[in-house]
Amino acid sequence: MSFSELIGTLDARRSAPLYQQLQQAVREAIAQRVLKADQALPAERDLAAELDVSRITVRKAFDGLVAEGLLSRRQGAGTFVAARVEKSFSKLTSFSEDMAARGRKATSSWLSRTEGAVTPEESLTLGLSPGTAVYRYHRIRYADAMPMALEYSTVPASCLPSLEAVELSLYQALDVNGQRPTRALQRLRAVLFTAEQAELLGVAPGAAGLLIERRAFSRTGQAVEVTQSFYRGDAYDFVAELNDGPA
């Protein structure tokens, strides 16, 4: 079946520009599961020829859908329907591990990486004495070059050999130093992204997101991480396995 048969035809006589018609047709096809997660879309030049529109029209339509998180571009592979990520609450894993398990490439863009004294709030959360040194890691997390989350982590300086020890994965760096978390307490709540957060994640200001606050502990019971992660609501599903047990 051709792509035009999947999404319908475009009509230059309609008031909406052709790129907007194409965007809406693809949105509806994704919502109705006519186009499925991870499905490859035709090359822009092939689709332009099939729909009898300019390649610029197709590019503009796809750019908007990528920004909305409905499509993703993969270097050297093309454009795909974005797959929502299922994050399980039953297993303690890092963002990098979650993406690798789904065959997606995790990358980061650093917002800041600083060393300082623990704040009163961090002191209570991490169980540290006033004045204790901590490392703070603030970054944007990507999957296949698509921004997925904002992550703000604080780690006791004693848990890592240096501020620069964290490259891609915080948990990998902690593991190398014998401080990988084995238990965590997490809290999830819905949030609306501020203008600054929305710009960093490439979504509209006020878009819905999910905030996960995590406090993680090493095998010895020491708190080794406190992290606030702001996830895109259009890209993540959080799941938990529940079992019937004694009250």
Side-chain angles (χ1 to χ4, degrees):
M1 183 179 292
S2 68
F3 195 77
S4 59
E5 290 175 314
L6 291 175
I7 68 167
T9 58
L10 309 181
D11 188 349
R13 294 169 297 179
R14 290 172 53 189
S15 58
L18 289 171
Y19 84 90
Q20 290 184 356
Q21 292 183 42
L22 178 55
Q23 282 181 338
Q24 186 57 32
V26 173
R27 282 193 201 98
E28 291 176 359
I30 292 173
Q32 295 167 9
R33 300 185 184 276
V34 174
L35 295 176
K36 307 197 182 300
D38 270 337
Q39 181 174 337
L41 302 189
E44 291 176 4
R45 91 172 137 273
D46 295 338
L47 188 54
E50 181 180 340
L51 298 176
D52 194 23
V53 297
S54 71
R55 189 171 176 180
I56 294 174
T57 294
V58 177
R59 169 55 65 100
K60 190 172 183 180
F62 281 9
D63 283 348
L65 294 169
V66 169
E68 292 176 25
L70 293 176
L71 301 182
S72 64
R73 289 192 175 102
R74 301 178 190 174
Q75 187 70 32
T79 304
F80 294 78
V81 177
R84 293 178 66 87
V85 174
E86 275 198 358
K87 168 65 176 174
S88 173
F89 266 176
S90 62
K91 188 175 182 182
L92 182 55
T93 54
S94 69
F95 179 89
S96 300
E97 291 165 340
D98 289 340
M99 294 305 107
R102 290 158 180 79
R104 306 182 73 172
K105 182 179 179 181
T107 54
S108 298
S109 175
W110 289 103
L111 299 173
S112 65
R113 184 161 39 175
T114 59
E115 179 179 0
V118 68
T119 66
E121 182 179 357
E122 291 168 341
S123 176
L124 288 173
T125 305
L126 292 168
L128 299 176
S129 303
T132 300
V134 294
Y135 298 144
R136 299 186 181 91
Y137 301 100
H138 298 177
R139 52 188 173 165
I140 308 172
R141 307 307 305 267
Y142 298 84
D144 296 332
M146 176 179 157
M148 300 289 279
L150 300 176
E151 190 176 87
Y152 305 94
S153 301
T154 301
V155 179
S158 60
C159 293
L160 293 169
S162 70
L163 180 64
E164 291 73 28
V166 177
E167 296 178 356
L168 177 61
S169 172
L170 170 61
Y171 276 23
Q172 182 181 36
L174 289 169
D175 192 20
V176 169
N177 208 44
Q179 296 290 344
R180 182 185 172 92
T182 58
R183 179 176 67 90
L185 299 175
Q186 293 192 142
R187 181 192 300 267
L188 181 150
R189 60 187 171 92
V191 294
L192 299 179
F193 289 125
T194 65
E196 180 182 2
Q197 291 171 331
E199 182 178 0
L200 292 171
L201 288 173
V203 298
L210 295 164
L211 167 61
I212 290 187
E213 298 174 295
R214 173 186 288 186
R215 183 163 51 129
F217 304 85
S218 69
R219 192 170 283 103
T220 62
Q222 177 188 357
V224 296
E225 168 213 14
V226 58
T227 293
Q228 287 189 324
S229 298
F230 293 83
Y231 290 92
R232 290 176 58 150
D234 62 351
Y236 264 86
D237 289 322
F238 290 89
V239 297
E241 180 179 348
L242 304 178
N243 295 295
D244 184 22

